[in-house]
Amino acid sequence: MNNYLNSEQWFETIKHKDYLYVIRERLDEIDPRFYTTYTNLYLVIGTHSALLIDTGCGLFPLKPIIKDLIGGKELFVINTHSHFDHIGGNYEFDKILIHKKERRLISKPRDISFLRDSSKEVIKRFESKNYILPPAKIIQPVIDNEIIDLGKISIKVFHTPGHSPGCISLLTNKNELFTGDTAHYGMMYLTKKTFPIILSSISKLIDLYKKSENIELYPSHEEFTVGKELLVDLSKGIKNIDNIWDTKIRDDFLEAWIIEDEIFKYAIF
Ligand SMILES: [Zn+2]
């Protein structure tokens, strides 16, 4: 069994480019019942400011790690959406940006007591907090097409709903596209009635390749720096779910149907 004692042991920090860090958290070490190994947080550093994309589960302090990486630069923090694995460290930071459709969801304490019976030892760190994630202090809503300027690097917000109503993806002027939970390998969490919505969000991301074929994808879970085929295959996969619906298996923890094709797993609510 792994014994995690502090933030340095818990978070894996990877310098991916001069201006881009990946900070990984093991979601399966929090609770394997999500069938997800990694959550990827990203830190993009411009000449005068930096942007932290998501704050993880809140199990270990994240802010000291970020402070070390950005020095005295101004820090913006944005949530790709409001699910617990992306917002847990929000309370550590002064202000959180999030799509306006999910601002209310991060303004209140979040009950994560569904993790209480996880098989993982490290989850006991939440016991002293009674399995409650504190809310964000100040929330600033963002909208589609908004641009965040970090100095030399700018980041454009794209509203890509489907996984949740306020999911966003973020594109830098250097062609990194952070897809949040709208597109990643591994287990995709979807609602059957929002299939048309996520399919149109995925098309919106595929359309970005009309301006540049050099876009690299950085999803919020599992592998990062993946290619356009993620979007193309995921779109095909979601369209095919009805055809393989008979193969679904009930998952009592997730209260969802699990279904699998050659590339993806899906938890369907
Ligand atoms: Zn997630």
Side-chain angles (χ1 to χ4, degrees):
M1 182 175 290
N2 282 307
N3 254 324
Y4 300 103
L5 299 171
N6 56 43
S7 301
E8 283 70 30
Q9 289 173 6
W10 176 252
F11 292 108
E12 182 190 356
T13 303
I14 301 157
K15 184 169 188 172
H16 183 66
K17 294 183 182 180
D18 277 347
Y19 57 90
L20 174 58
Y21 287 87
V22 189
I23 300 152
R24 306 190 98 185
E25 177 167 78
R26 287 283 297 268
L27 190 53
D28 63 339
E29 285 288 327
I30 292 170
D31 197 326
R33 293 175 296 181
F34 295 106
Y35 301 97
T36 301
T37 308
Y38 289 105
T39 302
N40 306 319
L41 319 180
Y42 297 102
L43 180 68
V44 187
I45 306 179
T47 52
H48 58 68
S49 308
L51 179 70
L52 172 64
I53 302 171
D54 287 336
T55 63
C57 280
L59 202 56
F60 286 87
L62 175 62
K63 194 174 178 181
I65 288 182
I66 304 302
K67 281 272 159 201
D68 274 355
L69 297 173
I70 67 170
K73 288 177 184 175
E74 182 186 16
L75 177 66
F76 297 106
V77 183
I78 196 162
N79 294 155
T80 57
H81 62 297
S82 65
H83 290 164
F84 86 96
D85 49 325
H86 302 259
I87 63 146
N90 279 359
Y91 71 94
E92 295 179 72
F93 300 95
D94 298 333
K95 186 169 77 178
I96 303 292
L97 312 181
I98 190 165
H99 190 270
K100 61 177 183 179
K101 285 205 164 166
E102 296 192 25
R103 68 174 298 178
R104 252 181 237 108
L105 295 167
I106 62 164
S107 66
K108 299 174 283 225
R110 176 71 55 86
D111 183 339
I112 51 162
S113 53
F114 52 85
L115 297 174
R116 201 181 280 274
D117 57 347
S118 165
S119 58
K120 297 295 179 180
E121 195 67 23
V122 74
I123 210 69
K124 297 209 164 65
R125 286 183 62 89
F126 280 132
E127 242 157 46
S128 61
K129 294 176 178 171
N130 212 13
Y131 292 87
I132 301 284
L133 296 173
K137 292 177 192 128
I138 300 171
I139 302 161
Q140 183 179 320
V142 295
I143 56 169
D144 198 39
N145 290 325
E146 196 163 323
I147 289 173
I148 302 162
D149 177 28
L150 306 177
K152 294 270 169 72
I153 299 174
S154 64
I155 298 178
K156 193 169 179 181
V157 175
F158 292 94
H159 183 209
T160 50
H163 170 77
S164 72
C167 267
I168 54 168
S169 300
L170 299 158
L171 179 64
T172 72
N173 57 342
K174 296 181 180 288
N175 282 330
E176 292 94 6
L177 177 60
F178 302 96
T179 58
D181 282 10
T182 299
H184 56 76
Y185 287 108
M187 175 75 98
M188 283 289 301
Y189 285 74
L190 298 169
T191 315
K192 216 167 184 220
K193 64 173 195 281
T194 57
F195 280 4
I197 297 172
I198 194 151
L199 285 170
S200 102
S201 291
I202 294 168
S203 301
K204 183 171 169 175
L205 296 180
I206 292 174
D207 283 347
L208 296 175
Y209 283 84
K210 287 178 186 160
K211 282 191 190 152
S212 169
E213 272 300 317
N214 301 321
I215 293 172
E216 296 176 329
L217 303 178
Y218 293 85
S220 287
H221 293 290
E222 313 301 25
E223 296 98 308
F224 60 89
T225 323
V226 298
K228 185 182 180 180
E229 65 279 2
L230 165 65
L231 301 171
V232 175
D233 290 340
L234 182 58
S235 178
K236 280 186 202 150
I238 294 171
K239 286 175 189 158
N240 189 49
I241 286 175
D242 272 341
N243 300 326
I244 55 171
W245 189 244
D246 287 349
T247 63
K248 68 187 186 299
I249 295 166
R250 188 67 188 170
D251 187 288
D252 290 332
F253 170 67
L254 297 174
E255 297 179 348
W257 295 103
I258 307 289
I259 208 156
E260 207 168 336
D261 62 23
E262 295 78 41
I263 304 175
F264 302 93
K265 262 173 115 89
Y266 310 87
I268 314 280
F269 296 85

